[in-house]
Amino acid sequence: MDKKTIIGGVVVALVFVGFLVFNANQQKKYQEQVRKYQEYLASQQPAMPAVPPRMTADSTAASPGAGSVQADSAVLLRQQADMVGETLAGAAVREESGLTVENDVLRIDFSSRGGQIVGVTLKDYTRYAPRGERTEPVQLFDPATARFNLSLYIRNGLNNSQVNTSDYVFEVDPVRRDGDMQTVVMRLPVDGDAAIEYEYRIYDSEAPERDYLVDFDVRLRNMAPRMANQTSVGIDWRNRSYQNERGFQNENMYTTVSYRFPGESSIEDLGTSEAEKSKKVSTSLNWVAFKQQFFSSVFIARDNFSNADLSFDTAKPETGYIKDFAASMTVPYNGQVEGYRFAFYLGPNKYAILKKVTDDGQPLVLERLIPLGWGIFGWVNRWFVIPVFDFLRQYIASFGLIILILAILVKLVISPLTYKSYVSMAKMRLIKPQVDELNKKYPKQEDAMKRQQATMELYKKAGINPMGGCIPMLIQMPIIIAMFRFFPASIELRDQSFLWAGDLSSYDSILQLPFKIPFYGDHVSLFALLMAVSLFAFSYINYQQTASSQPQMAGMKFMMVYMMPVMMLLWFNSYSSGLCYYYLLANLLTIGQTLLIRRMVDDEKIHAVMQANAAKNGNRKKSKFAQRYEEMMRQQEAQQRGKRK
């Protein structure tokens, strides 16, 4: 055998051995992919589209057991590659990794699977716990339930296949820092140079309205040739919120899904429920919020969503959760679209912060997430209560003292109305004997109009407005209702203690009952109890004053003096202790104000003024309106007499 033949044989042998080694390595890699895919199927199967396995001779002949599972997994992996391509099929079984980025107020946990945010921790706030044990930071949602999915269709040969980004593991670039901005880039290769890219930008600017806002851009890198014919891209966003406050029922009452239509100055929501609720919104939306009592996760579309399906399902009490939120939105797509601009607001429902959150300078009205009341009640809160409250906070550390000063200021503002109301009631009390004489003069039912006409004439001569005692009280109602909306929604009161109340945003409990009383609860709130007692005292004093001047009020004694305080006690026992404390102060101040005015007002002087008014107005010519009114009354009385005949 010559030398060339020997060398040629050796080369052939080396090539053959190299081929065997290469094939063994490829087989090993393939088996590793199959193993990972099996693990993936076990943990992520509900999220993956079902792919029926092809029945082949090998798979049919395979006996049950590990070998059969491995063969089936291999078939599924091949079919996955056939459907979406080898690049995406490999991304489905790629090893998942996590990443955490922080600024002064947030800690955000990312997962490479789905390229999504799976956890948000608010550093400046803690979950409710007994005083001295409150150390666990607030988490906006349960990481195990977090899901953000982009759904689109791609071409794969002659087939169109659906791609759900939450099923695939993204490639993660190292975090880039540029000044006060950190950038997280995650990329899902689709085929060749085509990829779906997520970019998150987290700021540390020491401006809360900027630091709680995470910019989120979706880029479709060279995806146009791979995208199937479609007019929209779907987005699925969902998570489960923790119970972060003391009372489940009260927190649940303020937890819902909210949303805003583009350009609107108000927002909409699904309302509250102890079960589940859903709604289909067929028009454009600017943002969708998973709103809790004091915190919110808001998904903002800078160019708006096309439509949305929104829903929530309420958890059971004592599970540690409040609601499961879900939102399915779409954004428009055509061949020219290269990406989308979004943002997440992940932070507190604090008016001063939310009002400053903007979209390129345009207001997003996120402050409307705080339920301050509609119409005039909201105006009172936004233009009076909140500015005064914020001003006092700059100089006073104790929120109990701030609420006391706020109550005094409110009473000073409405004191002229209180004085006017008392004087009007005093006039009605002094003129009551003359009104009783008129009732005796016209005792018959058919003389009711004459009696009413004579009574009105008496009031006019004495200079009395019969509604003078009621109108000032009605004017105070917007302030009373505004306070009712402000205190339970004010995050400033959260984790603020005063006297025996450990948290002014929640109820105070001095006694835990071993049973639950219907409409009351399983605890005793001392502030609510004191508020009810003060309301009873105020109602009793007020009744004594009004009953003597208005006989029709005598029948309301049970409702006003006894029933109302009991109802308020039942209603407010699980409400914010800060609100109960404010109403307690308001009642005590009103009682003191009433007693002070009673000492200041001289009934004899008022009576003298009334007599002077009666003498001055006695010979005054009646106005045309009064003449027409009397003529109308006479005609109505004549008609009634004719009917009785």
Side-chain angles (χ1 to χ4, degrees):
M1 186 178 295
D2 60 6
K3 186 177 181 179
K4 291 183 178 180
T5 302
I6 294 172
I7 294 174
V10 172
V11 171
V12 171
L14 290 173
V15 170
F16 181 71
V17 171
F19 174 76
L20 291 177
V21 172
F22 175 77
N23 188 52
N25 289 335
Q26 291 296 106
Q27 184 69 19
K28 186 177 180 181
K29 290 181 180 179
Y30 182 73
Q31 289 176 349
E32 180 66 17
Q33 278 191 321
V34 169
R35 184 187 65 79
K36 290 182 178 180
Y37 194 65
Q38 290 172 349
E39 295 175 354
Y40 171 67
L41 286 175
S43 61
Q44 299 290 332
Q45 185 64 29
M48 291 287 292
V51 181
R54 287 194 193 127
M55 299 303 295
T56 63
D58 293 337
S59 62
T60 304
S63 60
S68 175
V69 173
Q70 186 174 10
D72 290 343
S73 299
V75 171
L76 290 174
L77 184 59
R78 292 193 192 99
Q79 290 185 352
Q80 184 76 1
D82 291 341
M83 291 175 61
V84 298
E86 293 185 1
T87 303
L88 278 177
V93 295
R94 187 182 296 127
E95 186 175 355
E96 180 180 349
S97 62
L99 175 68
T100 299
V101 178
E102 301 186 39
N103 61 18
D104 281 346
V105 295
L106 289 176
R107 184 174 73 244
I108 304 176
D109 298 319
F110 295 90
S111 172
S112 60
R113 181 165 296 281
Q116 61 181 323
I117 296 174
V118 294
V120 176
T121 303
L122 305 183
K123 296 182 178 181
D124 294 338
Y125 299 93
T126 55
R127 295 183 69 183
Y128 176 80
R131 191 181 298 187
E133 302 176 17
R134 194 162 180 161
T135 58
E136 183 183 355
V138 166
Q139 288 184 288
L140 288 185
F141 47 82
D142 181 4
T145 64
R147 174 183 169 88
F148 182 87
N149 177 60
L150 212 64
S151 179
L152 47 85
Y153 290 86
I154 63 171
R155 293 191 183 98
N156 187 35
L158 299 177
N159 299 321
N160 292 338
S161 300
Q162 185 178 14
V163 173
N164 293 309
T165 58
S166 61
D167 295 338
Y168 301 97
V169 177
F170 283 56
E171 297 175 351
V172 183
D173 290 353
V175 178
R176 300 197 312 267
R177 178 177 285 276
D178 183 12
D180 62 359
M181 180 180 69
Q182 300 178 75
T183 303
V184 176
V185 176
M186 299 187 180
R187 189 177 300 101
L188 177 63
V190 176
D191 184 35
D193 60 352
I196 300 171
E197 186 176 280
Y198 290 173
E199 181 177 294
Y200 298 89
R201 293 187 297 279
I202 299 94
Y203 294 82
D204 201 358
S205 63
E206 299 183 358
E209 64 273 11
R210 174 68 269 181
D211 294 346
Y212 284 114
L213 190 68
V214 178
D215 290 335
F216 173 48
D217 292 344
V218 175
R219 299 191 179 95
L220 304 177
R221 301 287 191 189
N222 303 309
M223 285 291 294
R226 293 300 315 275
M227 296 286 282
N229 292 330
Q230 55 199 298
T231 59
S232 64
V233 171
I235 300 173
D236 185 35
W237 180 44
R238 60 185 65 212
N239 60 55
R240 177 184 296 168
S241 65
Y242 287 111
Q243 179 181 341
N244 289 310
E245 313 309 323
R246 183 174 191 175
F248 175 90
Q249 184 176 1
N250 195 50
E251 185 176 0
N252 181 59
M253 186 167 57
Y254 291 93
T255 303
T256 186
V257 178
S258 301
Y259 56 95
R260 179 202 180 209
F261 295 119
E264 292 292 325
S265 59
S266 60
I267 67 172
E268 307 292 331
D269 59 50
L270 299 191
T272 59
S273 173
E274 295 183 358
E276 56 183 71
K277 268 193 172 184
S278 62
K279 185 174 184 179
K280 293 182 181 292
V281 182
S282 58
T283 56
S284 297
L285 294 87
N286 184 210
W287 51 256
V288 174
F290 295 163
K291 188 188 90 66
Q292 303 171 44
Q293 183 177 6
F294 294 118
F295 309 99
S296 289
S297 303
V298 187
F299 186 33
I300 304 163
R302 300 193 184 277
D303 297 312
N304 301 327
F305 302 111
S306 299
N307 51 62
D309 288 346
L310 310 173
S311 65
F312 66 72
D313 189 11
T314 306
K316 299 295 183 183
E318 300 182 2
T319 60
Y321 301 99
I322 294 292
K323 290 188 185 298
D324 287 292
F325 296 111
S328 297
M329 295 81 68
T330 63
V331 287
Y333 176 79
N334 58 53
Q336 286 70 48
V337 173
E338 296 181 349
Y340 302 95
R341 298 188 310 135
F342 302 113
F344 288 99
Y345 175 82
L346 307 166
N349 297 339
K350 193 171 185 178
Y351 188 86
I353 296 175
L354 293 174
K355 189 173 178 60
K356 295 179 182 178
V357 178
T358 61
D359 176 17
D360 295 332
Q362 297 299 315
L364 291 170
V365 297
L366 292 181
E367 69 273 13
R368 295 288 180 166
L369 288 170
I370 305 174
L372 296 176
W374 55 271
I376 190 172
F377 312 121
W379 298 340
V380 170
N381 274 323
R382 279 186 284 272
W383 300 107
F384 173 70
V385 178
I386 291 178
V388 171
F389 202 81
D390 289 344
F391 174 78
L392 293 175
R393 285 180 56 210
Q394 299 177 23
Y395 305 99
I396 302 173
S398 171
F399 278 79
L401 294 179
I402 291 175
I403 295 174
L404 172 60
I405 294 172
L406 185 63
I408 293 173
L409 288 175
V410 170
K411 283 301 172 185
L412 288 176
V413 169
I414 64 177
S415 58
L417 299 177
T418 306
Y419 178 81
K420 186 174 182 180
S421 176
Y422 181 88
V423 171
S424 179
M425 291 295 181
K427 290 180 178 180
M428 294 291 290
R429 184 176 65 254
L430 293 172
I431 206 172
K432 184 177 180 297
Q434 294 173 263
V435 173
D436 292 340
E437 290 295 327
L438 291 176
N439 292 333
K440 293 178 182 179
K441 184 178 180 180
Y442 302 103
K444 298 181 181 179
Q445 183 64 31
E446 55 267 24
D447 294 332
M449 290 189 177
K450 287 183 178 180
R451 184 170 61 248
Q452 181 180 6
Q453 184 178 349
T455 302
M456 295 302 295
E457 183 66 22
L458 178 64
Y459 287 158
K460 181 181 177 181
K461 289 181 179 179
I464 297 175
N465 181 0
M467 298 298 293
C470 300
I471 293 177
M473 295 299 294
L474 291 176
I475 295 175
Q476 298 179 42
M477 288 304 295
I479 297 177
I480 296 173
I481 297 176
M483 293 300 181
F484 175 78
R485 300 305 298 266
F486 171 74
F487 282 103
S490 176
I491 195 173
E492 288 82 0
L493 297 180
R494 194 176 184 273
D495 198 19
Q496 297 294 327
S497 61
F498 181 68
L499 298 179
W500 57 85
D503 187 340
L504 287 172
S505 70
S506 181
Y507 63 84
D508 61 297
S509 176
I510 60 167
L511 178 63
Q512 195 69 29
L513 302 176
F515 49 86
K516 188 173 184 178
I517 301 175
F519 306 108
Y520 182 71
D522 58 358
H523 62 275
V524 177
S525 169
L526 184 55
F527 271 130
L529 186 61
L530 293 175
M531 181 270 296
V533 172
S534 67
L535 180 60
F536 169 79
F538 167 70
S539 300
Y540 184 79
I541 294 173
N542 191 53
Y543 171 79
Q544 285 183 320
Q545 181 177 334
T546 56
S548 60
S549 60
Q550 300 179 22
Q552 65 271 22
M553 295 299 294
M556 299 293 291
K557 180 178 181 179
F558 177 77
M559 177 62 70
M560 288 180 57
V561 179
Y562 302 107
M563 192 66 182
M564 186 60 69
V566 172
M567 291 175 60
M568 294 293 281
L569 176 62
L570 296 176
W571 190 7
F572 279 79
N573 190 59
S574 296
Y575 251 70
S576 160
S577 55
L579 178 64
C580 295
Y581 171 56
Y582 173 81
Y583 280 160
L584 167 64
L585 294 174
N587 290 335
L588 294 177
L589 290 171
T590 303
I591 292 172
Q593 198 175 43
T594 302
L595 296 177
L596 179 62
I597 293 174
R598 182 178 293 180
R599 292 180 64 88
M600 293 171 55
V601 173
D602 188 341
D603 286 0
E604 293 183 0
K605 290 183 178 180
I606 294 177
H607 198 196
V609 171
M610 291 168 57
Q611 290 177 335
N613 289 335
K616 182 173 63 177
N617 297 328
N619 299 322
R620 179 177 294 180
K621 184 179 179 181
K622 296 180 180 179
S623 65
K624 292 183 178 180
F625 174 80
Q627 293 175 6
R628 287 196 298 269
Y629 178 76
E630 290 182 4
E631 180 62 27
M632 181 183 67
M633 296 287 285
R634 281 193 293 268
Q635 291 176 0
Q636 289 181 357
E637 186 176 358
Q639 289 176 0
Q640 288 185 2
R641 287 177 177 175
K643 289 179 181 179
R644 285 194 293 269
K645 291 179 180 180

